Amino acid sequence: MNKQSNKRKQSQDAIMDAARDEFIQQGFKGATVQAIADNANMPKANVLYYYQNKENLYHKVLEQTLEMWDTAIGDIVLEDGPKIALERFISAKVDIAFENPKASKIY
């Protein structure tokens, strides 16, 4: 990864962290792009450059959260039956709650 790509990724990560926190604290309606930019320590124009609007930011936060969930519960298969599926789901939920406590607060 070159220097410019690394800087871009760092900026996007900072924006996503700030967006996740803002949506958790304020909800979608109460969150603002300006507050996200302020919390990411960058100009609002930078946030809009990467994500264009608040809706895109929210969708990206949800997408990341769902990807985390899909990865955690991806080994559940129909043939295992409901008991094993529930055990794996609950185990995955507890693991995620400890590893990434904000993931459950975004909804």
Side-chain angles (χ1 to χ4, degrees), residues 1 10-11 17 37 50 56 64 68 71-72 82 91 96:
M1 184 178 292
Q10 288 176 342
S11 293
D17 288 343
Y50 290 115
N56 288 348
Q64 287 180 346
M68 181 178 29
T71 300
S91 177
I96 288 173

Side-chain angles (χ1 to χ4, degrees), residues 16 19 22-23 26-36 44 47-48 51-62:
M16 291 312 302
E22 182 70 7
F23 290 129
Q26 304 299 327
F28 177 78
K29 273 188 151 182
T32 66
V33 174
Q34 185 62 58
I36 292 166
K44 180 178 174 182
V47 175
L48 294 173
Y51 297 101
Q52 293 74 49
N53 57 48
K54 181 170 79 167
E55 290 81 7
N56 288 348
L57 279 164
Y58 190 66
H59 286 146
K60 186 67 176 173
V61 167
L62 291 178

Side-chain angles (χ1 to χ4, degrees), residues 3-93:
K3 190 174 180 179
Q4 186 176 7
S5 295
N6 192 33
K7 177 68 174 160
R8 180 182 181 100
K9 173 133 176 45
Q10 288 176 342
S11 293
Q12 289 174 320
D13 288 348
I15 293 167
M16 291 312 302
D17 288 343
R20 186 176 300 105
D21 289 346
E22 182 70 7
F23 290 129
I24 288 169
Q25 293 171 8
Q26 304 299 327
F28 177 78
K29 273 188 151 182
T32 66
V33 174
Q34 185 62 58
I36 292 166
D38 292 345
N39 291 332
N41 295 315
M42 62 183 60
K44 180 178 174 182
N46 287 27
V47 175
L48 294 173
Y49 172 79
Y50 290 115
Y51 297 101
Q52 293 74 49
N53 57 48
K54 181 170 79 167
E55 290 81 7
N56 288 348
L57 279 164
Y58 190 66
H59 286 146
K60 186 67 176 173
V61 167
L62 291 178
E63 182 181 289
Q64 287 180 346
T65 303
L66 290 174
E67 284 174 5
M68 181 178 29
W69 275 100
D70 285 347
T71 300
I73 63 172
D75 62 345
I76 296 174
V77 292
L78 183 62
E79 292 79 21
D80 288 339
K83 181 180 185 293
I84 292 174
L86 281 173
E87 287 171 353
R88 288 184 181 162
F89 174 80
I90 292 168
S91 177
K93 172 69 174 152

